Amino acid sequence: MDYSRLVRLNQGLLTGTALLGLGSIVAGAVGGPMWGGIANFTAGMVANYLGALVDRLRTSSDVLRNEDIAKAAGRAVGKTLLETISPRYPEIQKPLEALAEKTEGYWVEWAEQAKTLNLFESLQEDQLHQIFAQKPETFTDYQVLPKEQWQEVVRWLFEQGCENGVLLDSLESYQDVIGDLSQELEKNFNKNLRQVLKDDAASGGKAFAGMLFDLHGATLAKIDAIQEYLPKIASKEDVCRLLQQLDTGIRDELSQIRETLQQYFDLNRPRLPIPQECETVIADRTLDFVGREYVFTAIRDFLQRQPKGYFILEADPGVGKSAILAKLVQLLKRRCLTHFNIQAQGIIKPQQFLENICTQLIEGYNLDYPRLPDKTAEDGNVLARLLGEASKTLEPGQKLVVVVDALDEVDSSSQTQGSNILYLPDALPDHVYFILSKRPKQLPLPLSDYQTTFDLMQYPAESARDARRYAGNRWRQSPQIQEWVKSRNSSPEQFFTELVAKSENNFMYLRYVLKDIHDGLYESETLDSLPEGLQRYYQKHWRLMGMNANPLPIDKIRTIYVLCLVREAVSRFLLAQLTEIAEYQLGPILKEWEQFLRAQKVEKETRYTIYHASFSDFLKEQAEDSGVDLENIKRCIAENFAKGAPL
């Protein structure tokens, strides 16, 4: 990027940051969390004072310290990268987190190149109208930079990371991350900046309150009429007070539950060592998460009222059990022990569960074991002992929580006859809780006096409400879906109502159908012709892909069935061996199956598994009609692994 372009981008970003900082003081002053007086203030601003404010800003750049503004902008960008983007890329999360920590410093260096600029020399009145004279819900709509310029800024940031050795791969390998971060900043930079300012104010305003106090004094405070709407701001401490009551727009509907749950954990301790495969599931399943407050309320109440025990979340496939538990892990800031059984990846054995949870217990609670004790994976005795030892390290009021997903996917064939699923103990130490999920099927669960089952299927109205919100979010994000609805003379409300009814409140159905509409696969379909229920969706999609054609598309069929049965994340190289299809021919086939697969990076290589167990179930039911010999595929897989074939 050439120098002049870099400076121009910097000017726009720092100007926007300063204006949003000033707007944050106003929002905290006249509205606070409930926006009580914002209407009167904005009416006055529209009527009389925007022009005067423009003049004051244009002549007040000398009171700004560009370095302070740059720190605020850089910290907001870093916060977005750290908290929102890096969890989506678990395979490179650590270097992205390292880059996030360096971001503020890079911004300060950048600001040095623009320190002589008059930031407000080209300021227009309509820019202030967006910040100071809008309804509360549109207060953060002011566009600091358009998406294309955010992409340039983010690309520059990643260039710094590569040049300084923070990022070890080439710049081009981060294109997906750059795109995601640019889009997120375009949408939410304002909110994250406000949160940065609010957090700074809560810690005494050491970084930014002085700069904002000076800016306010040189602008808003110089216009007497504006002071009718604002309390007196006579010190940096006044700025901190106003910012602390600021509604940042970041607190969501789960914030109160989050705060209650987090009080049971020592947040100063490091996160527990959650396995990478679990991190991948957590990032994936929480990407478009909505609602479910009533489930988390039930979990909170269970933890509050019971001295220990088992909370079991039960629901049909695709209704959202894994997503709920993944979100719970996030709400607990990863201070809970975590295990996701994943059938498609072969993580379904009791031995894997025992080794994983015992490792987390030893490392997370600093138990005195240099390695896993002998016989850890043989039965539940070591697990029970470690739970007891870890519980004794808890401070008063703290709890030890273990989250375990998909008990129904566990292969218990190797367990001792009559034992509980995963060797879960009947008796738990005080303050120890397991949050479990399963389909509605009989399993050998622990016999405990402190056990409750939460049947998600008994909450159809709440599930329908959340499903509608999910569909609404996807509709807003996709012009293609909006056009599809409009071209069928349907209103958004009618579309949401009928789609949710057809989905039977199944989020997996919504995920697939909305993606198909977005991708143009349903151009010949109407709202009435959409399939009803997840199983019928699978059947319809099978036909749309030509899987019942004569002759059968053997390559496509064989590829998906190998992925169904392999129970490991496999590379394209191994998939070519298992299917006997040339590697270059697999690309188009995998593209067709894309929405049913989870692709993950392992050592710079993409590996594939089936996304959801319900699709594996469907494939097994379809096997005979598709001319697939499941036993033959299993033998082929076993032979390849026996020969040491690389994944």
Side-chain angles (χ1 to χ4, degrees):
M1 187 185 305
D2 67 71
Y3 173 79
S4 60
R5 178 64 178 166
L6 187 65
V7 170
R8 285 197 300 274
L9 286 174
N10 196 14
Q11 181 177 20
L13 179 55
L14 297 187
T15 300
T17 299
L19 291 176
L20 288 169
L22 193 59
S24 295
I25 296 177
V26 172
V30 302
M34 300 307 294
W35 295 97
I38 193 73
N40 290 334
F41 178 81
T42 57
M45 291 294 289
V46 170
N48 302 301
Y49 308 122
L50 289 181
L53 185 55
V54 169
D55 291 339
R56 293 306 315 171
L57 286 164
R58 285 177 179 166
T59 59
S60 300
S61 278
D62 57 330
V63 307
L64 290 177
R65 292 181 290 278
N66 287 2
E67 180 177 313
D68 290 341
I69 302 174
K71 284 182 179 179
R75 195 172 295 183
V77 173
K79 178 182 179 68
T80 307
L81 177 57
L82 178 67
E83 297 181 3
T84 304
I85 302 302
S86 68
R88 299 180 189 176
Y89 295 87
E91 68 279 0
I92 55 172
Q93 187 167 1
K94 288 185 178 179
L96 292 180
E97 290 175 346
L99 180 61
E101 292 179 2
K102 298 284 188 181
T103 298
E104 185 177 329
Y106 292 150
W107 245 257
V108 172
E109 293 175 14
W110 190 14
E112 281 294 307
Q113 301 177 60
K115 61 184 179 182
T116 61
L117 286 176
N118 181 338
L119 295 185
F120 303 121
E121 63 183 355
S122 59
L123 185 64
Q124 300 298 313
E125 192 170 310
D126 63 342
Q127 291 176 269
L128 297 186
H129 185 273
Q130 289 181 289
I131 293 180
F132 293 104
Q134 290 291 328
K135 295 178 181 179
E137 59 268 24
T138 62
F139 199 85
T140 57
D141 285 352
Y142 170 66
Q143 189 178 56
V144 175
L145 295 176
K147 184 178 180 180
E148 296 74 18
Q149 292 184 14
W150 272 122
Q151 286 177 328
E152 290 186 72
V153 169
V154 173
R155 185 176 179 85
W156 169 84
L157 170 63
F158 275 71
E159 286 175 352
Q160 305 312 300
C162 291
E163 291 173 4
N164 289 282
V166 180
L167 301 176
L168 301 181
D169 294 327
S170 67
L171 180 65
E172 297 308 313
S173 65
Y174 295 102
Q175 291 308 303
D176 289 345
V177 190
I178 291 172
D180 280 355
L181 180 55
S182 303
Q183 185 174 10
E184 185 65 25
L185 289 169
E186 179 198 21
K187 186 165 53 174
N188 287 321
F189 174 79
N190 300 6
K191 291 181 180 180
N192 283 326
L193 175 64
R194 284 190 165 193
Q195 189 64 51
V196 162
L197 297 176
K198 184 173 182 177
D199 290 345
D200 175 61
S203 61
K206 297 176 182 177
F208 310 121
M211 176 263 293
L212 292 176
F213 175 67
D214 290 346
L215 181 58
H216 167 266
T219 57
L220 296 175
K222 295 291 186 182
I223 303 174
D224 292 338
I226 290 180
Q227 296 308 300
E228 296 177 14
Y229 302 105
L230 300 180
K232 187 176 181 181
I233 301 175
S235 67
K236 188 179 78 171
E237 287 69 30
D238 292 332
V239 171
C240 289
R241 174 177 52 80
L242 296 176
L243 291 176
Q244 286 184 71
Q245 67 184 42
L246 176 67
D247 182 350
T248 65
I250 288 179
R251 290 170 60 89
D252 58 27
E253 67 274 9
L254 297 177
S255 58
Q256 186 174 4
I257 294 173
R258 179 189 296 109
E259 290 169 4
T260 303
L261 291 173
Q262 289 178 3
Q263 70 180 339
Y264 298 133
F265 303 89
D266 182 358
L267 299 182
N268 293 318
R269 297 177 69 170
R271 294 177 175 182
L272 295 179
I274 297 175
Q276 186 60 59
E277 59 269 15
C278 292
E279 290 284 12
T280 301
V281 172
I282 291 167
D284 179 79
R285 296 302 171 90
T286 57
L287 189 56
D288 295 305
F289 191 89
V290 296
R292 306 300 199 168
E293 302 97 321
Y294 60 100
V295 183
F296 297 116
T297 299
I299 294 172
R300 179 199 63 192
D301 292 346
F302 180 78
L303 294 176
Q304 286 178 334
R305 296 169 184 171
Q306 300 297 338
K308 55 189 170 183
Y310 291 95
F311 182 97
I312 304 166
L313 177 64
E314 185 174 283
D316 291 344
V319 175
K321 301 183 296 298
S322 297
I324 290 170
L325 292 199
K327 189 65 177 180
L328 177 63
V329 175
Q330 289 185 339
L331 292 176
L332 300 179
K333 291 220 166 184
R334 290 170 171 78
R335 265 61 178 195
C336 55
L337 290 82
T338 305
H339 184 81
F340 281 77
N341 293 291
I342 311 170
Q343 186 182 82
Q345 294 179 228
I347 305 174
I348 53 175
K349 298 176 182 177
Q351 294 81 1
Q352 295 165 310
F353 162 77
L354 292 169
E355 290 177 354
N356 175 24
I357 294 299
C358 288
T359 297
Q360 292 183 52
L361 280 167
I362 291 170
E363 295 184 15
Y365 291 87
N366 298 316
L367 303 184
D368 189 17
Y369 294 89
R371 62 180 183 280
L372 283 175
D374 294 338
K375 299 184 179 180
T376 293
E378 286 191 9
D379 53 37
N381 288 321
V382 172
L383 171 64
R385 185 173 83 235
L386 296 181
L387 286 171
E389 293 178 14
S391 69
K392 293 177 182 177
T393 71
L394 298 173
E395 297 292 335
Q398 292 182 354
K399 301 179 186 294
L400 189 159
V401 176
V402 187
V403 174
V404 185
D405 183 44
L407 293 184
D408 51 276
E409 296 185 22
V410 172
D411 178 3
S412 57
S413 60
S414 64
Q415 286 193 214
T416 305
Q417 188 171 4
S419 59
N420 294 335
I421 190 83
L422 295 176
Y423 293 112
L424 297 175
D426 289 327
L428 293 173
D430 286 344
H431 315 302
V432 173
Y433 303 82
F434 277 75
I435 313 297
L436 312 171
S437 76
K438 72 179 190 70
R439 296 185 187 184
K441 60 185 289 188
Q442 287 296 115
L443 293 173
L445 297 172
L447 300 174
S448 171
D449 293 334
Y450 305 100
Q451 180 174 305
T452 186
T453 297
F454 187 96
D455 185 354
L456 198 56
M457 308 310 293
Q458 297 302 310
Y459 295 82
E462 292 85 350
S463 292
R465 180 194 65 208
D466 290 339
R468 188 184 184 91
R469 288 173 61 189
Y470 176 87
N473 289 346
R474 290 289 293 114
W475 177 83
R476 281 187 288 274
Q477 295 165 6
S478 172
Q480 294 89 335
I481 296 176
Q482 294 172 29
E483 180 58 32
W484 190 92
V485 173
K486 181 179 178 182
S487 66
R488 283 149 182 81
N489 298 317
S490 176
S491 69
E493 288 303 308
Q494 181 185 5
F495 173 66
F496 300 147
T497 299
E498 295 196 30
L499 182 67
V500 169
K502 286 178 178 290
S503 77
E504 300 172 352
N505 299 338
N506 192 292
F507 283 78
M508 195 57 55
Y509 172 99
L510 293 172
R511 177 184 185 272
Y512 288 144
V513 169
L514 289 167
K515 186 176 189 305
D516 284 345
I517 294 174
H518 175 87
D519 291 343
L521 297 181
Y522 277 9
E523 284 305 308
S524 61
E525 303 292 331
T526 65
L527 194 52
D528 289 338
S529 69
L530 293 177
E532 297 191 13
L534 184 61
Q535 190 70 10
R536 290 186 180 177
Y537 166 78
Y538 286 142
Q539 293 168 353
K540 187 179 187 75
H541 198 85
W542 189 262
R543 293 194 299 271
L544 285 174
M545 288 185 64
M547 305 306 287
N548 294 332
N550 187 11
L552 291 171
I554 297 300
D555 286 354
K556 285 200 290 188
I557 291 173
R558 188 167 182 81
T559 299
I560 199 63
Y561 273 98
V562 166
L563 289 169
C564 170
L565 297 173
V566 71
R567 290 193 172 184
E568 296 281 354
V570 296
S571 65
R572 194 177 296 187
F573 175 78
L574 178 58
L575 193 57
Q577 289 186 305
L578 297 176
T579 58
E580 299 179 347
I581 299 171
E583 193 172 345
Y584 74 90
Q585 293 177 306
L586 284 172
I589 295 173
L590 291 170
K591 183 68 176 174
E592 287 195 66
W593 288 117
E594 181 179 36
Q595 74 183 92
F596 300 106
L597 304 179
R598 177 184 291 114
Q600 60 190 86
K601 288 283 188 182
V602 180
E603 297 177 354
K604 300 184 181 181
E605 180 179 61
T606 303
R607 297 184 183 178
Y608 303 90
T609 58
I610 297 293
Y611 181 80
H612 197 263
S614 62
F615 187 55
S616 293
D617 295 342
F618 167 77
L619 289 172
K620 291 169 185 174
E621 293 172 7
Q622 284 285 122
E624 186 174 346
D625 293 341
S626 303
V628 175
D629 185 341
L630 296 181
E631 294 305 316
N632 180 55
I633 293 177
K634 289 179 183 177
R635 281 194 299 272
C636 180
I637 292 171
E639 289 170 2
N640 271 275
F641 286 149
K643 295 175 184 175
L647 293 178

